[in-house]
Amino acid sequence: MKLIYEGKAKRLYETDQANEVLIEFKDDATAFNGAKKASFASKGKINKTLSVLLYKMLEKEGVPTHFLRDEGDVTIVARRVDIVKIELVVRNVVAGSLAKRTGLPEGHKLRQPIIETYYKDDALGDPMVTDEHIRELNLARPDELEKIKRSGLKVNQILTKFFAKAGLILVDFKLEYGRLLPSMHNIVLADEITPDTCRLWDEKTGAKMDKDRFRQDLGDLIEGYNEILTRVQHALES
Ligand code: 5GP
């Protein structure tokens, strides 16, 4: 299989279908724009499983995604997209860079969700960008940006409610979108939704269950990810 692209946490391969790709979830974890690196056995499998469950739920709720089918332990088949070079961050509770930028205390519940846009560019360190920057850099057309922001808020509503059922607070998360190939007319949710890209805190204790365990050396990463997966599976069954 021909490798199209290798990112920090995933590999993308061509398939025999021109408009489909195979996505492999790696065990690798990186933080601080690649400065901190490690590998965790079974992270790829857990993240693949969680991403599939969450994509399926979002599709059911009317959010178009790139997901097509589950294909083994660490791989899925997805629609081929042209990735929009914008990272959309949605926040419900203050943490991470929002605490640093605003001085608001970590854990402060936001009056309403905050949406931020970042330029997906490793060399620049993914800087925050405004709508005007996005227009100047031609990262997305205004109607595409509007669609992306609306979708992000809808995903937030769905996931916040769902994770609450699992006893987890959805603090914030990052989404990426892509233009469906070959026409590029339709924008769909792409990339992944996993504890690598979401902050999830235990509702009762406030314990951090997500990638912050690795970023801040808070304890066993896989223990947190497994706990999230178990709770998600239970919440889906109930
Ligand atoms: P912050 O801006 O506070 O660092 O991150 C906000 C949220 O977006 C967190 O849930 C974080 O995991 C996610 N996020 C932002 N940028 C990235 C990124 O480049 N990679 C990953 N995996 N997650 C990101």
Side-chain angles (χ1 to χ4, degrees):
M1 261 179 315
K2 193 175 157 219
L3 184 71
I4 303 170
Y5 166 82
E6 176 155 7
K8 296 182 200 102
K10 292 187 295 297
R11 289 189 191 92
L12 237 77
Y13 298 94
E14 271 181 1
T15 70
D16 48 12
Q17 301 296 313
N19 295 319
E20 294 182 5
V21 289
L22 192 75
I23 302 178
E24 178 193 352
F25 289 72
K26 301 198 291 186
D27 284 342
D28 298 347
T30 65
F32 313 116
N33 202 15
K36 185 171 179 177
K37 286 184 197 156
S39 186
F40 298 92
S42 81
K43 180 175 90 79
K45 189 175 174 184
I46 300 170
N47 276 358
K48 191 256 2 183
T49 309
L50 270 169
S51 232
V52 168
L53 293 174
L54 297 173
Y55 281 139
K56 282 185 178 168
M57 186 206 318
L58 290 171
E59 287 273 358
K60 241 193 229 165
E61 300 274 352
V63 178
T65 80
H66 70 158
F67 176 71
L68 283 173
R69 57 187 180 275
D70 201 348
E71 189 111 333
D73 264 10
V74 293
T75 48
I76 63 167
V77 176
R79 297 181 175 92
R80 196 159 187 166
V81 297
D82 170 50
I83 282 283
V84 177
K85 289 202 162 45
I86 295 171
E87 297 187 346
L88 189 81
V89 168
V90 186
R91 302 176 184 272
N92 299 303
V93 176
V94 175
S97 70
L98 184 62
K100 283 204 195 100
R101 193 175 302 115
T102 60
L104 287 168
E106 184 179 84
H108 170 84
K109 192 174 175 339
L110 297 167
R111 281 196 291 265
Q112 56 184 57
I114 287 179
I115 278 197
E116 297 167 349
T117 43
Y118 293 82
Y119 181 16
K120 189 174 152 57
D121 186 306
D122 279 344
L124 294 175
D126 297 346
M128 191 193 266
V129 283
T130 65
D131 290 7
E132 283 83 0
H133 298 148
I134 290 170
R135 186 189 59 214
E136 186 60 33
L137 292 166
N138 216 3
L139 302 181
R141 294 193 317 258
D143 61 303
E144 290 178 326
L145 185 58
E146 186 58 37
K147 255 190 213 165
I148 288 170
K149 288 183 180 177
R150 227 180 308 128
S151 165
L153 287 175
K154 182 171 177 180
V155 170
N156 186 42
Q157 277 182 355
I158 298 166
L159 293 186
T160 298
K161 200 168 148 201
F162 173 71
F163 280 122
K165 255 176 85 180
L168 294 164
I169 298 167
L170 179 60
V171 171
D172 56 32
F173 56 98
K174 183 255 311 178
L175 299 175
E176 293 186 23
Y177 288 82
R179 304 174 181 96
L180 272 189
L181 289 169
S183 74
M184 309 244 286
H185 291 329
N186 293 312
I187 295 263
V188 297
L189 184 60
D191 197 48
E192 64 180 82
I193 306 179
T194 67
D196 276 10
T197 58
C198 301
R199 283 197 176 96
L200 290 161
W201 295 352
D202 180 81
E203 191 183 60
K204 290 204 180 84
T205 65
K208 297 175 178 177
M209 319 288 276
D210 53 76
K211 193 171 153 188
D212 274 349
R213 288 168 96 100
F214 168 63
R215 293 188 188 103
Q216 303 171 7
D217 297 314
L218 298 176
D220 191 333
L221 182 92
I222 294 302
E223 201 180 283
Y225 282 35
N226 260 327
E227 178 65 25
I228 293 170
L229 177 58
T230 306
R231 291 197 197 184
V232 162
Q233 285 166 334
H234 283 154
L236 283 170
E237 283 159 14
S238 65

